[in-house]
Amino acid sequence: MTPAPRVKALFLLGTLKKKQVLSNTAVLCEVVADAFKKQEDVDSEIIRLRDYDIQPGTKTEIDGDDWPGIVKKMLEADIIIFATPVWWGIQSSLIQRIIERLDELNDELLATGKSEFANKVGGIVITGAEDGAEHIIGNVLNFMSFNGFTIPPAPSVSWLGDASGQTKESLKKKFRKGAVDSLIRTFARNEAFFARLLKEHPIPLADSVEHADGAIGYGKR
């Protein structure tokens, strides 16, 4: 029997907190990464975006900052997860910034019909003390889908609630119980399944693309 292909997950963590400050989103990413490894034998890397120099803009290369190196890691991964807290009902500014910095790859897709993210699987991790998860899921999945990512069923894990007074250990226990634990296990299974499926049976890439005037495509107007 042919062994299943190895796949790797990359988390782009958009917490606004420093490393020494407890981040609910960071802890949930660690729990999801642990489920990936134990349940699906998927290795993960978590990139804390706040620790890198990521300038504002819409190009991949800007002022020699750290973003091109992160893009390289994205292109090497099979599963890419945008992880964000809820801020006033929307994703964090860091997640929005990396969406904007991916615009040059979107322009390439419009020009050629080929996406650098074809045959990669997208997912989302969300935490917050307020509502807004569904709005973020809609925004981010729209971006991912129109930029070539494959979106499996149940492509998000979210936890909303008051986490004041929690420790990293108590948060992990909270996330590993009940409905959140079930979501994590389903998420890990589906993301890994589709990542392996696409490695073995990639979606054919377009040879060329034509856009009619006024047509809506890949997030552009």
Side-chain angles (χ1 to χ4, degrees):
M1 184 176 178
T2 304
R6 298 290 303 176
V7 299
K8 180 180 178 180
L10 181 72
F11 292 75
L12 300 177
L13 172 59
T15 180
L16 302 183
K17 296 175 180 176
K18 297 180 179 180
K19 270 185 178 178
Q20 59 267 35
V21 179
L22 180 66
S23 163
N24 305 337
T25 315
V27 175
L28 184 53
C29 285
E30 291 180 15
V31 173
V32 174
D34 190 53
F36 267 138
K37 186 61 178 177
K38 291 181 178 178
Q39 179 180 312
E40 305 297 336
D41 197 24
V42 170
D43 294 323
S44 298
E45 180 179 0
I46 300 173
I47 293 180
R48 196 181 189 103
L49 298 171
R50 196 187 190 284
D51 296 340
Y52 295 83
D53 175 21
I54 304 173
Q55 297 295 311
T58 61
K59 301 297 183 182
T60 304
E61 300 271 357
I62 296 179
D63 298 334
D65 74 354
D66 296 329
W67 179 242
I70 297 174
V71 171
K72 183 175 183 292
K73 287 180 177 287
M74 293 176 72
L75 299 181
E76 293 170 348
D78 306 291
I79 300 167
I80 299 173
I81 298 166
F82 286 22
T84 182
V86 180
W87 282 107
W88 294 97
I90 195 64
Q91 63 266 18
S92 77
S93 58
L94 282 170
I95 293 297
Q96 186 60 34
R97 178 164 293 191
I98 67 172
I99 287 173
E100 291 161 359
R101 286 294 296 271
L102 289 168
D103 194 65
E104 188 170 18
L105 294 182
N106 181 260
D107 288 340
E108 179 183 318
L109 171 57
L110 286 174
T112 66
K114 298 177 181 180
S115 170
E116 295 283 1
F117 300 114
N119 299 306
K120 297 186 185 299
V121 179
I124 310 171
V125 167
I126 301 170
T127 68
E130 61 189 79
D131 197 8
E134 289 188 6
H135 185 49
I136 292 170
I137 291 166
N139 278 337
V140 175
L141 290 187
N142 176 67
F143 169 80
M144 285 184 162
S145 178
F146 274 107
N147 281 277
F149 290 88
T150 294
I151 308 301
S156 64
V157 174
S158 58
W159 181 86
L160 303 178
D162 181 12
S164 57
Q166 297 285 335
T167 65
K168 185 174 183 177
E169 291 70 27
S170 66
L171 272 175
K172 284 188 173 184
K173 288 180 181 180
K174 185 185 290 287
F175 295 154
R176 286 175 172 143
K177 293 191 297 186
V180 180
D181 179 64
S182 179
L183 275 175
I184 290 169
R185 287 186 284 108
T186 300
F187 176 84
R189 182 192 66 224
N190 291 355
E191 297 277 321
F193 173 83
F194 276 87
R196 291 193 171 103
L197 179 67
L198 291 168
K199 283 183 83 76
E200 294 181 320
H201 305 284
I203 299 169
L205 300 179
D207 292 326
S208 62
V209 64
E210 295 180 2
H211 295 278
D213 290 344
I216 297 175
Y218 298 99
K220 295 291 187 179
R221 302 294 188 268

